[in-house]
Amino acid sequence: MVKTKAMVLREYKKPLMYEEVDKPACGPGEVLLKVKAAGVCGTDLKIRDGLVPTKELPLIPGHEVAGVVADTGADVKRFREGDEVLVSFYIPCHRCRNCRQGRQTICEQLKGRIGFEFDGGFAEYVVVPEDCLISKPAAITFQQAAVIPDALGTCYHVLVRRAQVQKGDSLVIVGGGGGLGLHALQMAKGLGATVIGVDVSAEKLALMQSYGADLVIDGREDPCWSKTVADYTQGRRADLVVNFVAHQASIDEGLRAVGKGGKLALVAYSKEVKFDALYGHLNEIDLLSTRAATKADIQECLKLVLAQKVEPVIGAVIRLKDLNDGLQMIKEGKLKGRLVIDLE
Ligand SMILES: [Zn+2]
Ligand SMILES: [Zn+2]
């Protein structure tokens, strides 16, 4: 059996192990990818710590994958060896009611996700269903491509599919200087919204400004920032507040920043946060949950990057075996953009 390298999670809350593993083989309808770049995100921290559902350990995580087709199983028709691709990491049934309505991330018979229920891309090789592949245009690098399925896709899903942002809307992005927030900010500007970015360091405020925020607020210096939003919008408040943080204070303040009939969208999630349903009732505020990105969302994001309407923001690039250090960087919240593993 040919051996290759991978980062393997053997025990929750413990560092992943850099190991030699059997090179995976692809079955019918599946493709073997040589991974070229893999994005790392906060969800990988949750996976490591056993806070989100996965398959039984051991698991090779990594759901943000770009690479080259190295082998194809029987019945694979649209891709062949050498094709450059990125991966849509949900594996939906395509037949249920939700799938037929274009909501594949809440498929009623979801088969699983690459990097959660199936081994993922923190490895030299990964097997994925052909159906999950999206062709990577040559103008986009593997590192940029690895950032698109989640850090861009999730933002597109919440702004366009869930919140249906319109030109002229006032938007608040809580955590706007983070690895997702900076992409949401660029997309919201592209959709014609006025964007107020909230974050907590001078560096992140400057980043939000450089990516086009109309107003930036330091949530630490201005803890009652919903008032600042009210002032800035002549009392109307925001049409949409998108929360990428999920700390209770940011939910509470964000809710007060939503105008009557507006929306509060929660991208970050936790079992602990509470929503003031009385305030929601009095103001008819829509609480929007949002789950990841569909393949169609990811394809739309590719178009935005190709048209240079959104720039993938890469904060740091590391080697596969340094993944544990990378997860620590994410935990400390100091990255200025997304973390990417380079496997070229
Ligand atoms: Zn992710
Ligand atoms: Zn389905």
Side-chain angles (χ1 to χ4, degrees):
M1 198 77 186
V2 182
K3 296 282 182 184
T4 65
K5 294 278 186 354
M7 291 298 288
V8 184
L9 180 64
R10 295 208 163 268
E11 209 179 325
Y12 292 124
K13 300 191 173 77
K14 291 278 161 62
L16 282 76
M17 312 287 284
Y18 186 57
E19 289 181 5
E20 295 231 303
V21 296
D22 292 341
K23 185 174 173 180
C26 45
E30 292 178 336
V31 166
L32 177 72
L33 293 186
K34 169 83 184 74
V35 181
K36 293 286 185 176
V40 189
C41 84
T43 303
D44 293 309
L45 270 176
K46 289 195 169 102
I47 290 172
R48 184 198 65 187
D49 293 340
L51 299 176
V52 291
T54 63
K55 78 175 177 74
E56 242 177 76
L57 302 185
L59 166 72
I60 301 170
H63 54 273
E64 307 175 9
V65 184
V68 177
V69 174
D71 193 13
T72 54
D75 308 328
V76 171
K77 292 187 178 71
R78 289 176 300 117
F79 291 89
R80 58 181 180 194
E81 229 179 292
D83 285 350
E84 301 184 347
V85 295
L86 57 158
V87 173
S88 174
F89 57 95
Y90 276 71
I91 310 175
C93 77
H94 293 299
R95 286 188 300 273
C96 72
R97 192 179 60 163
N98 290 344
C99 278
R100 281 187 275 115
Q101 292 175 346
R103 302 182 72 178
Q104 290 87 352
T105 62
I106 51 166
C107 169
E108 287 163 11
Q109 277 106 35
L110 189 69
K111 292 170 197 157
R113 295 160 292 174
I114 307 295
F116 294 76
E117 289 82 10
F118 295 94
D119 280 338
F122 294 159
E124 290 179 309
Y125 290 92
V126 62
V127 167
V128 300
E130 176 189 25
D131 181 49
C132 292
L133 298 185
I134 299 169
S135 291
K136 179 187 85 61
I140 293 177
T141 67
F142 285 109
Q143 290 183 17
Q144 289 175 323
V147 169
I148 293 172
D150 193 347
L152 273 74
T154 299
C155 297
Y156 187 89
H157 191 74
V158 67
L159 294 177
V160 177
R161 308 274 186 218
R162 301 291 291 134
Q164 300 178 356
V165 171
Q166 305 292 316
K167 192 169 192 284
D169 280 356
S170 297
L171 229 94
V172 176
I173 302 181
V174 185
L180 263 73
L182 289 171
H183 297 112
L185 203 165
Q186 296 179 65
M187 279 178 208
K189 286 304 298 174
L191 291 165
T194 299
V195 181
I196 301 166
V198 181
D199 218 309
V200 290
S201 77
E203 227 168 20
K204 287 188 168 168
L205 261 54
L207 266 176
M208 292 192 291
Q209 253 161 348
S210 70
Y211 283 103
D214 296 281
L215 175 72
V216 294
I217 300 175
D218 189 325
R220 233 171 246 162
E221 285 172 13
D222 182 7
C224 304
W225 51 263
S226 63
K227 174 129 193 356
T228 309
V229 172
D231 291 344
Y232 187 76
T233 54
Q234 282 93 43
R236 280 205 63 246
R237 301 177 189 261
D239 299 295
L240 169 68
V241 173
V242 188
N243 187 301
F244 288 100
V245 179
H247 290 160
Q248 189 61 49
S250 76
I251 305 278
D252 294 340
E253 203 56 29
L255 183 60
R256 287 188 286 269
V258 181
K260 287 180 185 291
K263 300 165 185 159
L264 174 67
L266 300 181
V267 181
Y269 51 90
S270 139
K271 275 187 176 177
E272 273 79 49
V273 292
K274 293 188 176 66
F275 171 76
D276 179 350
L278 172 61
Y279 193 93
H281 157 79
L282 292 172
N283 297 284
E284 280 202 348
I285 289 168
D286 292 339
L287 179 63
L288 294 181
S289 300
T290 184
R291 184 167 179 183
T294 65
K295 189 176 177 184
D297 296 334
I298 296 166
Q299 282 163 326
E300 290 303 316
C301 290
L302 257 184
K303 287 184 205 160
L304 291 174
V305 175
L306 270 178
Q308 297 184 318
K309 292 194 171 139
V310 178
E311 175 195 323
V313 188
I314 296 170
V317 179
I318 58 171
R319 292 172 301 178
L320 180 61
K321 65 187 173 67
D322 297 327
L323 174 63
N324 291 308
D325 298 335
L327 289 172
Q328 189 58 30
M329 287 161 77
I330 292 175
K331 194 163 191 178
E332 288 166 8
K334 285 179 186 148
L335 278 168
K336 292 174 223 152
R338 293 294 274 189
L339 179 65
V340 177
I341 297 175
D342 177 17
L343 287 116
E344 287 209 65

